[in-house]
Amino acid sequence: MMKHSHLLALEAIVTTGTFRGAAERLHKSQSAISHMIRQLEDALDFRVLSREAYRPTLTAEGQVFYREATRVLTQMRELNATATRLKAREEPELRLAVSATLPLELLLPMLGELGAQFPATHLRLSTEMMGGAIARLIEGRAEVAISTLDGVPLEEVETRPMAVVMIRPVASPALAEKLGAGPLPLSAMQAIPQVVVAGTAGAEDSQSRDLLPGGRRWTVSDFAAKKQVLLSGLGWGGMPDHLIRQDVSEGTLIPIEVDGFRPRRSEIFAIRRKDTAPGPAARAFWTLVSQIKEIG
């Protein structure tokens, strides 16, 4: 008899590419995954997966079956989410993982409204660097992530635009004067430390965009530390406009032109998982985000 668990196992194999990957995703042993696929094939009386190559691939019949199976799984997830919503009461906690590049003044009025509407819900906001916000969402440690879409599995999430932030390279006045007028060539910048922030998703999470090839690099924990290093004149780096607006106005940080590091337009989105039923406060927050008219 074909079971829902059989379809989940097949989906996990196809999306991860291996039986081992499916086992890790579903928190089961590899032998259990293999057994479920054998049971599915016995029930169907045809092979859905070919094991002849290094990685399992769908057979011709399996491709047709899998296409319909994904439709059924989507409907099952939607049905489960509906059932959860129908019985949901105000959740005890709403966890938001927010990229440090987001101007908090955009978020705070929504949190104030949410707090007034759901006084029993504890709002927990974590400020994350690099891929940290997305990691928290995917790992189930946040109901909503507010981040760029870099590295986001788009087929697994819903998104809403929230803001556009400009990231531009800056340096202290003394360092900017020493460098001279731009655009500054790579050869002039490689000897000066580029200050970057470490990610909060784990040891493997590090900045991968806007890195000067072949240059010296200093890594710090957050934007506050990064700005202190920049103000000291010990290095240069990119900063979100809203974090340096006053410094640029007062002349304590100077925008510089660097070849290969132009000011970058960074789009930030609210992101939630499709397979997780939101509670009342999470749904209300999503509605507030959806009402944002201007994102730049």
Side-chain angles (χ1 to χ4, degrees), residues 94 110 114 143-146 157-161 269-273 278 280-292:
L94 175 60
M110 288 186 281
L114 200 66
E143 282 69 53
V144 179
I146 300 176
V157 300
E158 294 180 72
T159 65
R160 293 288 186 275
F269 294 79
I271 308 163
R272 68 179 182 182
R273 289 169 49 168
R283 291 201 307 273
F285 177 76
W286 199 254
T287 298
L288 291 171
V289 171
S290 301
Q291 294 170 352
I292 295 176

Side-chain angles (χ1 to χ4, degrees), residues 9-293:
L10 178 62
E11 179 190 48
I13 292 168
V14 173
T15 54
T16 64
T18 64
F19 281 80
R20 179 180 179 181
E24 292 175 352
R25 172 174 290 189
L26 298 179
H27 306 292
K28 295 183 179 295
S29 67
Q30 192 168 329
S31 61
I33 297 296
S34 298
H35 181 63
M36 283 191 284
I37 295 302
R38 285 196 300 271
Q39 287 181 321
L40 175 62
E41 292 177 332
D42 288 344
L44 297 174
D45 200 25
F46 61 79
R47 298 281 294 277
V48 293
L49 290 173
S50 170
R51 285 82 156 177
E52 296 175 0
Y54 172 70
R55 290 179 178 270
T57 57
L58 290 167
T59 63
E61 296 86 352
Q63 290 177 6
V64 176
F65 178 80
Y66 180 67
R67 188 163 55 243
E68 292 301 308
T70 55
R71 181 178 60 82
V72 171
L73 287 170
T74 298
Q75 291 175 337
M76 284 294 295
R77 288 178 178 126
E78 291 173 351
L79 187 61
N80 286 330
T82 298
T84 302
R85 285 195 297 269
L86 289 173
K87 66 179 181 180
R89 296 182 178 89
E90 183 174 346
E91 59 265 53
E93 183 176 74
L94 175 60
R95 299 166 298 176
L96 306 176
V98 182
S99 169
T101 56
L102 178 80
L104 277 183
E105 58 264 28
L106 177 66
L107 185 61
L108 294 178
M110 288 186 281
L111 296 185
E113 185 172 342
L114 200 66
Q117 189 177 352
F118 298 95
T121 297
H122 177 186
L123 296 177
R124 184 179 296 276
L125 186 150
S126 63
T127 302
E128 305 292 334
M129 308 302 301
M130 305 305 297
I134 298 304
R136 279 185 173 270
L137 178 72
I138 298 304
E139 293 167 5
R141 295 185 291 128
E143 282 69 53
V144 179
I146 300 176
S147 172
T148 68
L149 296 182
D150 295 337
V152 176
L154 294 176
E155 70 282 357
E156 299 178 15
V157 300
E158 294 180 72
T159 65
R160 293 288 186 275
M162 280 200 69
V164 173
V165 175
M166 293 301 297
I167 310 292
R168 66 183 72 249
V170 292
S172 69
L175 180 56
E177 182 178 2
K178 177 182 175 182
L179 292 170
L184 300 166
L186 295 181
S187 57
M189 302 301 295
Q190 286 172 331
I192 301 170
Q194 179 182 0
V195 187
V196 300
V197 290
T200 52
E204 301 302 317
D205 184 33
S206 60
Q207 183 167 333
S208 58
R209 300 183 66 177
D210 303 325
L211 293 178
L212 204 66
R216 295 176 62 194
R217 200 170 300 155
W218 286 13
T219 300
V220 296
S221 61
D222 52 41
F223 278 126
K226 180 173 183 175
K227 188 161 80 167
Q228 286 299 113
V229 176
L230 298 178
L231 288 167
S232 74
L234 295 177
W236 69 278
M239 289 286 290
D241 269 352
H242 67 280
L243 294 180
I244 56 170
R245 190 171 293 118
Q246 183 175 348
D247 300 275
V248 171
S249 175
E250 295 174 353
T252 53
L253 285 175
I254 307 294
I256 59 177
E257 293 185 67
V258 180
D259 276 345
F261 196 121
R262 302 296 183 187
R264 174 168 57 83
R265 185 177 184 270
S266 181
E267 296 187 32
I268 300 177
F269 294 79
I271 308 163
R272 68 179 182 182
R273 289 169 49 168
K274 291 180 180 177
D275 63 350
T276 302
R283 291 201 307 273
F285 177 76
W286 199 254
T287 298
L288 291 171
V289 171
S290 301
Q291 294 170 352
I292 295 176
K293 302 296 184 184

